[in-house]
Amino acid sequence: MPIATASKPMALTNELLNELLDVLAEARTADAALREVDRMRSLVAGESIFSIQQNVTTAHDPAGEIRLRRFYSSEADRHPVGGGKRKTLTPWTECLFLQGRVFVGEGAQTLALHFDDFEQMHAHGLQSVINVPLLRGDVCYATFNVFGTRPQWQPHEVLGIRLLALAAARWVPAAPGLAYRFTDMSFTSPMES
């Protein structure tokens, strides 16, 4: 399946924001709401893929690991909902899960440094990412992820994706039994942001 495209990425205007908020106010299911967020994402980010990864880590998981499960996917045939992965403590996990900060990665070299599945991304032409932590208090319960085919993001695209993440957050529940497993660890290094 080809990556979702828009003719040209555009800024999230007041008109588009109002349209999105009105549609989300009437949405009855998470799937309907997230499909609308996804539609707006394709307008803002152009050629890109989008997913939401739910943090499903529990107290029974090994210390030093975070377990993620795909809650939404714009490419469900290639990256199905329910698919999971484990992440260890890295500068990327520190940025999102310990510091609650947005991660903006630009260029294939940056993706290769931070993602162990980079070869799969590269095969699909992905060269950049915006990961937005969805937070409740200081707990990152999910990540809102947009991977783009261009090597660099424009400031209005980053802002638009962050606003879409805020709009989507109410439709993404925290997993039952969510527990952080990086509690006794400390890792500090510079991050691209």
Side-chain angles (χ1 to χ4, degrees), residues 151-174:
Q152 199 167 25
W153 297 104
Q154 297 300 310
H156 70 274
E157 294 167 336
V158 175
L159 176 61
I161 296 303
R162 292 178 78 172
L163 289 171
L164 290 174
L166 287 173
R170 74 179 262 213
W171 296 98
V172 182

Side-chain angles (χ1 to χ4, degrees), residues 20-118:
L20 173 66
L21 295 174
D22 289 344
V23 169
L24 291 180
E26 295 187 21
R28 296 293 170 239
T29 67
D31 188 58
L34 294 176
R35 277 193 318 248
E36 183 62 21
V37 169
D38 194 3
R39 183 179 73 81
M40 289 290 176
R41 178 267 319 161
S42 70
L43 294 175
V44 171
E47 290 188 36
S48 59
I49 63 172
F50 160 54
S51 71
I52 295 175
Q53 298 280 344
Q54 201 176 30
N55 182 353
V56 295
T57 310
T58 69
H60 302 293
D61 290 308
E65 282 188 5
I66 287 184
R67 246 179 1 119
L68 300 173
R69 182 175 55 226
R70 199 171 295 110
F71 183 78
Y72 182 88
S73 175
S74 66
E75 301 282 325
D77 57 329
R78 249 191 330 210
H79 308 286
V81 170
K85 59 174 87 173
R86 292 183 182 272
K87 294 287 192 178
T88 58
L89 186 62
T90 65
W92 181 84
T93 52
E94 179 186 22
C95 179
L96 289 156
F97 293 93
L98 297 180
Q99 298 171 356
R101 292 187 307 119
V102 173
F103 176 78
V104 178
E106 298 177 317
Q109 195 171 30
T110 298
L111 292 184
L113 179 65
H114 293 288
F115 297 96
D116 55 8
D117 53 353
F118 168 72

Side-chain angles (χ1 to χ4, degrees), residues 136-189:
R136 293 228 170 102
D138 62 354
V139 174
C140 176
Y141 69 94
T143 62
F144 186 100
N145 315 295
V146 177
F147 288 86
T149 58
R150 68 185 136 324
Q152 199 167 25
W153 297 104
Q154 297 300 310
H156 70 274
E157 294 167 336
V158 175
L159 176 61
I161 296 303
R162 292 178 78 172
L163 289 171
L164 290 174
L166 287 173
R170 74 179 262 213
W171 296 98
V172 182
L178 176 61
Y180 271 75
R181 300 300 292 150
F182 290 158
T183 54
D184 297 328
M185 302 176 122
S186 174
F187 187 90
T188 305
S189 71

